[in-house]
PDB file of all heavy atoms in Angstrom:
ATOM      1  N   MET A   1      -2.169  22.661 -14.230  1.00 29.00           N
ATOM      2  CA  MET A   1      -0.927  22.071 -13.856  1.00 29.00           C
ATOM      3  C   MET A   1      -0.583  20.944 -14.733  1.00 29.00           C
ATOM      4  O   MET A   1      -1.353  20.049 -14.964  1.00 29.00           O
ATOM      5  CB  MET A   1      -1.129  21.582 -12.357  1.00 29.00           C
ATOM      6  CG  MET A   1       0.069  20.792 -11.844  1.00 29.00           C
ATOM      7  SD  MET A   1       0.491  20.890 -10.164  1.00 29.00           S
ATOM      8  CE  MET A   1      -0.603  20.094  -9.321  1.00 29.00           C
ATOM      9  N   SER A  14      20.976  14.169  -0.138  1.00 37.00           N
ATOM     10  CA  SER A  14      21.742  13.865  -1.320  1.00 37.00           C
ATOM     11  C   SER A  14      21.853  15.201  -2.088  1.00 37.00           C
ATOM     12  O   SER A  14      22.672  15.246  -3.116  1.00 37.00           O
ATOM     13  CB  SER A  14      20.911  12.934  -2.117  1.00 37.00           C
ATOM     14  OG  SER A  14      19.717  13.382  -2.622  1.00 37.00           O
ATOM     15  N   TYR A  19      11.706  15.804 -10.465  1.00 36.00           N
ATOM     16  CA  TYR A  19      11.178  16.171 -11.774  1.00 36.00           C
ATOM     17  C   TYR A  19      10.967  17.687 -11.834  1.00 36.00           C
ATOM     18  O   TYR A  19      10.475  18.305 -10.840  1.00 36.00           O
ATOM     19  CB  TYR A  19       9.776  15.397 -11.832  1.00 36.00           C
ATOM     20  CG  TYR A  19       9.235  15.357 -13.222  1.00 36.00           C
ATOM     21  CD1 TYR A  19       9.683  14.520 -14.013  1.00 36.00           C
ATOM     22  CD2 TYR A  19       8.058  16.001 -13.417  1.00 36.00           C
ATOM     23  CE1 TYR A  19       9.089  14.394 -15.332  1.00 36.00           C
ATOM     24  CE2 TYR A  19       7.482  15.967 -14.603  1.00 36.00           C
ATOM     25  CZ  TYR A  19       8.023  15.239 -15.581  1.00 36.00           C
ATOM     26  OH  TYR A  19       7.399  15.119 -16.794  1.00 36.00           O
ATOM     27  N   MET A  39       4.298  14.807  -3.375  1.00 46.00           N
ATOM     28  CA  MET A  39       3.820  15.761  -4.381  1.00 46.00           C
ATOM     29  C   MET A  39       3.007  16.838  -3.823  1.00 46.00           C
ATOM     30  O   MET A  39       2.458  16.806  -2.613  1.00 46.00           O
ATOM     31  CB  MET A  39       3.128  15.125  -5.482  1.00 46.00           C
ATOM     32  CG  MET A  39       3.989  14.414  -6.447  1.00 46.00           C
ATOM     33  SD  MET A  39       4.976  13.194  -5.575  1.00 46.00           S
ATOM     34  CE  MET A  39       4.658  11.736  -6.657  1.00 46.00           C
ATOM     35  N   LEU A  58     -16.233  -1.066 -10.911  1.00 97.00           N
ATOM     36  CA  LEU A  58     -14.851  -1.587 -11.326  1.00 97.00           C
ATOM     37  C   LEU A  58     -13.713  -1.198 -10.320  1.00 97.00           C
ATOM     38  O   LEU A  58     -12.779  -1.880 -10.168  1.00 97.00           O
ATOM     39  CB  LEU A  58     -14.599  -1.318 -12.763  1.00 97.00           C
ATOM     40  CG  LEU A  58     -15.514  -1.764 -13.881  1.00 97.00           C
ATOM     41  CD1 LEU A  58     -15.008  -1.237 -15.199  1.00 97.00           C
ATOM     42  CD2 LEU A  58     -15.620  -3.288 -13.849  1.00 97.00           C
ATOM     43  N   ASP A  73      13.517   5.923 -20.661  1.00 94.00           N
ATOM     44  CA  ASP A  73      13.750   6.115 -22.044  1.00 94.00           C
ATOM     45  C   ASP A  73      12.479   6.321 -22.924  1.00 94.00           C
ATOM     46  O   ASP A  73      12.589   6.370 -24.175  1.00 94.00           O
ATOM     47  CB  ASP A  73      14.374   4.763 -22.613  1.00 94.00           C
ATOM     48  CG  ASP A  73      13.638   3.595 -22.684  1.00 94.00           C
ATOM     49  OD1 ASP A  73      12.369   3.619 -22.323  1.00 94.00           O
ATOM     50  OD2 ASP A  73      14.057   2.391 -22.987  1.00 94.00           O
ATOM     51  N   GLY A  74      11.454   6.535 -22.356  1.00 94.00           N
ATOM     52  CA  GLY A  74      10.097   6.881 -22.966  1.00 94.00           C
ATOM     53  C   GLY A  74       9.255   5.676 -23.339  1.00 94.00           C
ATOM     54  O   GLY A  74       8.164   5.898 -23.834  1.00 94.00           O
ATOM     55  N   THR A  75       9.716   4.499 -23.097  1.00 96.00           N
ATOM     56  CA  THR A  75       8.971   3.366 -23.566  1.00 96.00           C
ATOM     57  C   THR A  75       7.954   2.981 -22.331  1.00 96.00           C
ATOM     58  O   THR A  75       8.245   3.287 -21.207  1.00 96.00           O
ATOM     59  CB  THR A  75       9.830   2.148 -23.802  1.00 96.00           C
ATOM     60  OG1 THR A  75      10.587   1.745 -22.740  1.00 96.00           O
ATOM     61  CG2 THR A  75      10.631   2.339 -25.089  1.00 96.00           C
ATOM     62  N   TYR A  83      -5.275  -2.919  -6.231  1.00 98.00           N
ATOM     63  CA  TYR A  83      -5.480  -1.460  -5.898  1.00 98.00           C
ATOM     64  C   TYR A  83      -6.755  -1.345  -5.028  1.00 98.00           C
ATOM     65  O   TYR A  83      -7.485  -2.265  -4.813  1.00 98.00           O
ATOM     66  CB  TYR A  83      -5.732  -0.785  -7.304  1.00 98.00           C
ATOM     67  CG  TYR A  83      -6.991  -1.274  -7.943  1.00 98.00           C
ATOM     68  CD1 TYR A  83      -8.264  -0.556  -7.586  1.00 98.00           C
ATOM     69  CD2 TYR A  83      -7.048  -2.255  -8.754  1.00 98.00           C
ATOM     70  CE1 TYR A  83      -9.407  -1.105  -8.170  1.00 98.00           C
ATOM     71  CE2 TYR A  83      -8.178  -2.747  -9.356  1.00 98.00           C
ATOM     72  CZ  TYR A  83      -9.407  -2.188  -9.001  1.00 98.00           C
ATOM     73  OH  TYR A  83     -10.524  -2.550  -9.522  1.00 98.00           O
ATOM     74  N   LEU A  92      -2.023   1.778  -4.188  1.00 97.00           N
ATOM     75  CA  LEU A  92      -1.447   0.539  -4.489  1.00 97.00           C
ATOM     76  C   LEU A  92      -0.176   0.415  -3.667  1.00 97.00           C
ATOM     77  O   LEU A  92       0.278   1.372  -2.970  1.00 97.00           O
ATOM     78  CB  LEU A  92      -1.238   0.257  -5.971  1.00 97.00           C
ATOM     79  CG  LEU A  92      -0.503   1.267  -6.786  1.00 97.00           C
ATOM     80  CD1 LEU A  92       0.985   1.001  -6.905  1.00 97.00           C
ATOM     81  CD2 LEU A  92      -1.129   1.497  -8.170  1.00 97.00           C
ATOM     82  N   TYR A 101       8.809   2.008  -9.581  1.00 95.00           N
ATOM     83  CA  TYR A 101       9.127   3.122  -8.688  1.00 95.00           C
ATOM     84  C   TYR A 101      10.100   4.043  -9.260  1.00 95.00           C
ATOM     85  O   TYR A 101      10.066   5.321  -9.262  1.00 95.00           O
ATOM     86  CB  TYR A 101       9.705   2.516  -7.394  1.00 95.00           C
ATOM     87  CG  TYR A 101      10.346   3.418  -6.398  1.00 95.00           C
ATOM     88  CD1 TYR A 101       9.516   4.240  -5.658  1.00 95.00           C
ATOM     89  CD2 TYR A 101      11.692   3.583  -6.228  1.00 95.00           C
ATOM     90  CE1 TYR A 101      10.096   5.112  -4.759  1.00 95.00           C
ATOM     91  CE2 TYR A 101      12.278   4.594  -5.405  1.00 95.00           C
ATOM     92  CZ  TYR A 101      11.431   5.331  -4.610  1.00 95.00           C
ATOM     93  OH  TYR A 101      11.957   6.167  -3.678  1.00 95.00           O
ATOM     94  N   TRP A 104       8.262   6.238 -11.698  1.00 94.00           N
ATOM     95  CA  TRP A 104       7.666   7.414 -11.309  1.00 94.00           C
ATOM     96  C   TRP A 104       8.554   8.523 -10.798  1.00 94.00           C
ATOM     97  O   TRP A 104       8.125   9.714 -10.800  1.00 94.00           O
ATOM     98  CB  TRP A 104       6.851   7.003  -9.933  1.00 94.00           C
ATOM     99  CG  TRP A 104       5.641   6.110 -10.195  1.00 94.00           C
ATOM    100  CD1 TRP A 104       4.721   6.189 -11.222  1.00 94.00           C
ATOM    101  CD2 TRP A 104       5.158   5.024  -9.414  1.00 94.00           C
ATOM    102  NE1 TRP A 104       3.654   5.224 -11.126  1.00 94.00           N
ATOM    103  CE2 TRP A 104       4.046   4.448  -9.997  1.00 94.00           C
ATOM    104  CE3 TRP A 104       5.704   4.352  -8.409  1.00 94.00           C
ATOM    105  CZ2 TRP A 104       3.406   3.305  -9.596  1.00 94.00           C
ATOM    106  CZ3 TRP A 104       5.095   3.217  -7.941  1.00 94.00           C
ATOM    107  CH2 TRP A 104       3.884   2.733  -8.520  1.00 94.00           C
ATOM    108  N   ARG A 122     -16.476  -4.127 -21.448  1.00 96.00           N
ATOM    109  CA  ARG A 122     -16.792  -3.082 -20.480  1.00 96.00           C
ATOM    110  C   ARG A 122     -15.400  -2.755 -19.627  1.00 96.00           C
ATOM    111  O   ARG A 122     -15.012  -3.704 -18.885  1.00 96.00           O
ATOM    112  CB  ARG A 122     -17.926  -3.494 -19.519  1.00 96.00           C
ATOM    113  CG  ARG A 122     -18.248  -2.411 -18.551  1.00 96.00           C
ATOM    114  CD  ARG A 122     -19.511  -2.984 -17.697  1.00 96.00           C
ATOM    115  NE  ARG A 122     -19.946  -2.030 -16.727  1.00 96.00           N
ATOM    116  CZ  ARG A 122     -19.705  -2.198 -15.440  1.00 96.00           C
ATOM    117  NH1 ARG A 122     -19.072  -3.128 -14.888  1.00 96.00           N
ATOM    118  NH2 ARG A 122     -19.972  -1.218 -14.649  1.00 96.00           N
ATOM    119  N   VAL A 126      -8.303   4.735 -16.125  1.00 96.00           N
ATOM    120  CA  VAL A 126      -8.039   5.912 -15.189  1.00 96.00           C
ATOM    121  C   VAL A 126      -6.639   6.495 -15.462  1.00 96.00           C
ATOM    122  O   VAL A 126      -5.626   5.847 -15.296  1.00 96.00           O
ATOM    123  CB  VAL A 126      -8.163   5.475 -13.724  1.00 96.00           C
ATOM    124  CG1 VAL A 126      -7.921   6.654 -12.866  1.00 96.00           C
ATOM    125  CG2 VAL A 126      -9.560   4.810 -13.443  1.00 96.00           C
ATOM    126  N   GLY A 139       4.624  -2.797   5.776  1.00 96.00           N
ATOM    127  CA  GLY A 139       3.829  -3.500   4.818  1.00 96.00           C
ATOM    128  C   GLY A 139       2.353  -3.342   5.021  1.00 96.00           C
ATOM    129  O   GLY A 139       1.599  -4.226   4.549  1.00 96.00           O
ATOM    130  N   ASP A 158       9.527  -8.403   2.026  1.00 96.00           N
ATOM    131  CA  ASP A 158      10.338  -7.276   1.599  1.00 96.00           C
ATOM    132  C   ASP A 158       9.697  -5.897   2.142  1.00 96.00           C
ATOM    133  O   ASP A 158       9.767  -4.860   1.660  1.00 96.00           O
ATOM    134  CB  ASP A 158      10.214  -7.166  -0.012  1.00 96.00           C
ATOM    135  CG  ASP A 158       8.815  -7.143  -0.554  1.00 96.00           C
ATOM    136  OD1 ASP A 158       7.788  -7.103   0.291  1.00 96.00           O
ATOM    137  OD2 ASP A 158       8.615  -7.094  -1.791  1.00 96.00           O
ATOM    138  N   ALA A 166      -0.191   6.724  -3.844  1.00 96.00           N
ATOM    139  CA  ALA A 166      -1.540   7.400  -4.026  1.00 96.00           C
ATOM    140  C   ALA A 166      -1.460   8.043  -5.490  1.00 96.00           C
ATOM    141  O   ALA A 166      -0.745   8.932  -5.762  1.00 96.00           O
ATOM    142  CB  ALA A 166      -1.777   8.423  -2.985  1.00 96.00           C
TER     143      ALA A 166
END
Side-chain angles (χ1 to χ4, degrees):
M1 173 150 68
S14 70
Y19 198 73
M39 278 61 129
L58 296 179
D73 68 2
T75 60
Y83 65 89
L92 52 98
Y101 174 72
W104 290 319
R122 182 174 179 258
V126 179
D158 60 3

